[in-house]
Amino acid sequence: MDDKVTALILAGGQGTRLGKLTKNLAKPAVPFGGRYRIIDFTLSNLANSNITSVGVITQYEPYELNQHIGNGSDWGLNVMGGGVSILQPYADGKGNKFFEGTAHAIYQNMAYIDRQDPEYVMILSGDHIYKMDYTKMLEAHKANHADLTVSVMPVPMDEASRFGIMNTDNDHKILEFEEKPAQPKSNLASMGIYVFNWRKLREYLVAGFEGGNDMVDFGKNVIPAYLANNENVYAYAFKDYWRDVGTIQSLWQANMELLDKHNELQLADRHWRIYSHTTNQNPMYVAQEAQIHDSLMVDAVYVGGRVSHSLISTGVTVEEHAIVDHSVVMPGAKVGAGAAVSYAIVGEDAEIAPGAVIVGTPDDIAVVGCGEYYNQTTVNEGVLTNA
């Protein structure tokens, strides 16, 4: 695009609510949808929006994420005048540089941003599932002569107290920000997606950190400071598919939604492709005795057992007489002969021993961690018989 924009993806989160799935893996690197990782959606949105100057800010367990992203070539981001840079904490003469919050991570990488010399910076989260044309948000930002634009999503009013809520006037100008209000005045929840004019944001960050004022977090510090100083802060309403997959239940549910051929995400849409790091894989193999119903499977899968209403990822093996029902099996995992998995997420490269049983419920999804060897029998009575 013609405008000088640098995008910063905040991808250093641990994702503690995902438990064993992020024990050795950053949340944005968690597999999703059979052949993707969560961060692929943000990177693909940038590629489809023709924003090619991208910094990915990592911190917790960055190795897998770094290997996955590389130089951005899988997303077409390795172009002249653009490219992807992995930005990690570092130490200099002033001491430790670990990031203390979202705005602090940007402050610590000002030298990188200054080298890009952008007019606008776009701050994005690397751990949400959605499709969004960022150019439309940037156009709204410019049309409003805004100093800051915050992407918001209408949520049910009875759920608004769970979010940071933006109260606006009729022209979408933000008048007040409330963090998880007990009695919300509106239902416009912040998505954690921002467009800033870089020079002004830089002034706020420098003045805050060098003056001893707390400017660590965008939601808690930066946005309130902008509003207190009567800066032009606007909301940009986004009404399409968006999922925060920060819990086991929400991650499982978002994967299950893909089994509906009319699902809102529409990964088969050729007009807004979702790209990922690709490797050469063998074709899928389904044994003669296998039974498959209402499921999604991708490359290098072997199925010898029974799979129903499940998502089976790249390189998964389901051996003979095994049962997988209403479950997500992540890449490289193995379900041994005669094992039973129902209402569960099986982590990347995990192994379910032959004959083992792990069964959750629709409201309490069972989990096998990444790389875990599972040989127990955990059953909620009645679930398997109704599978």
Side-chain angles (χ1 to χ4, degrees):
M1 63 189 309
D2 294 333
D3 299 289
K4 186 64 173 174
V5 182
T6 292
L8 284 304
I9 303 175
L10 301 173
Q14 183 175 352
T16 54
R17 292 179 297 168
L18 291 176
K20 293 187 286 186
L21 296 178
T22 54
K23 182 180 179 180
N24 300 302
L25 194 66
K27 180 182 172 185
V30 170
F32 179 84
R35 57 160 50 99
Y36 307 101
R37 296 187 186 272
I38 295 174
I39 198 171
D40 291 342
F41 291 83
T42 302
L43 288 168
S44 297
N45 288 338
L46 287 167
N48 290 318
S49 300
N50 199 26
I51 298 173
T52 58
S53 174
V54 181
V56 180
I57 299 176
T58 65
Q59 182 155 283
Y60 174 78
E61 293 288 349
Y63 178 76
E64 186 73 36
L65 198 59
N66 296 353
Q67 292 294 108
H68 179 71
I69 297 171
N71 66 354
S73 59
D74 289 296
W75 296 267
L77 296 173
N78 60 328
V79 298
M80 187 70 69
V84 174
S85 298
I86 304 296
L87 306 173
Q88 297 181 186
Y90 62 92
D92 62 10
K94 296 180 181 179
N96 201 310
K97 289 286 186 177
F98 280 101
F99 308 136
E100 299 172 8
T102 53
H104 184 245
I106 303 304
Y107 174 74
Q108 298 288 45
N109 285 287
M110 286 197 309
Y112 163 78
I113 302 171
D114 286 340
R115 284 196 298 272
Q116 309 307 307
D117 191 27
E119 184 174 357
Y120 307 102
V121 290
M122 181 167 280
I123 311 298
L124 306 168
S125 172
D127 54 13
H128 296 143
I129 305 296
Y130 67 112
K131 291 180 177 180
M132 182 176 183
D133 186 347
Y134 298 135
T135 59
K136 293 181 179 180
M137 183 177 176
L138 184 62
E139 288 167 1
H141 178 84
K142 293 187 294 182
N144 291 324
H145 303 286
D147 299 301
L148 162 62
T149 299
V150 181
S151 185
V152 298
M153 168 165 278
V155 298
M157 202 66 186
D158 59 356
E159 296 181 15
S161 59
R162 296 173 43 219
F163 299 91
I165 296 297
M166 303 293 170
N167 301 321
T168 69
D169 65 15
N170 292 333
D171 295 321
H172 310 294
K173 187 173 183 179
I174 296 174
L175 306 176
E176 183 182 21
F177 170 70
E178 296 182 290
E179 181 65 34
K180 299 181 180 179
Q183 296 183 337
K185 301 173 185 175
S186 83
N187 67 336
L188 297 179
S190 172
M191 297 170 62
I193 298 174
Y194 312 112
V195 175
F196 285 94
N197 297 343
W198 171 235
R199 290 179 183 175
K200 180 155 288 188
L201 174 60
R202 193 184 193 286
E203 290 173 2
Y204 269 81
L205 294 178
V206 171
F209 284 103
E210 294 186 359
N213 299 317
D214 199 353
M215 202 60 68
V216 170
D217 186 81
F218 284 116
K220 295 178 181 178
N221 308 121
V222 176
I223 295 175
Y226 268 54
L227 292 174
N229 290 325
N230 295 315
E231 305 290 3
N232 287 328
V233 182
Y234 281 82
Y236 174 79
F238 181 75
K239 299 179 181 179
D240 294 328
Y241 183 96
W242 181 83
R243 295 290 185 273
D244 181 349
V245 289
T247 66
I248 294 296
Q249 192 71 33
S250 62
L251 179 63
W252 177 84
Q253 183 62 48
N255 275 283
M256 290 294 102
E257 288 172 356
L258 297 178
L259 300 180
D260 180 356
K261 66 179 181 180
H262 301 299
N263 71 82
E264 294 180 69
L265 192 56
Q266 288 297 312
L267 292 176
D269 181 7
R270 292 182 176 271
H271 298 291
W272 199 270
R273 287 177 177 266
I274 302 300
Y275 304 97
S276 187
H277 176 60
T278 57
T279 56
N280 292 327
Q281 298 283 353
N282 293 326
M284 178 198 311
Y285 181 82
V286 179
Q288 184 174 0
E289 64 273 18
Q291 298 178 44
I292 300 171
H293 174 70
D294 190 29
S295 296
L296 180 63
M297 289 176 284
V298 294
D299 302 333
V301 166
Y302 172 87
V303 178
R306 191 179 92 192
V307 177
S308 61
H309 202 75
S310 294
L311 192 145
I312 308 299
S313 305
T314 304
V316 165
T317 297
V318 180
E319 292 189 336
E320 287 70 17
H321 308 297
I323 297 173
V324 178
D325 172 70
H326 283 83
S327 294
V328 178
V329 186
M330 291 183 169
K334 179 179 180 181
V335 181
V341 179
S342 185
Y343 288 100
I345 297 178
V346 179
E348 192 170 9
D349 296 322
E351 182 175 353
I352 309 295
V357 177
I358 179 165
V359 178
T361 70
D363 298 319
D364 187 14
I365 302 302
V367 179
V368 178
C370 295
E372 180 180 351
Y373 180 77
Y374 182 90
N375 61 357
Q376 304 174 41
T377 55
T378 303
V379 182
N380 289 327
E381 186 176 353
V383 176
L384 275 182
T385 57
N386 294 324

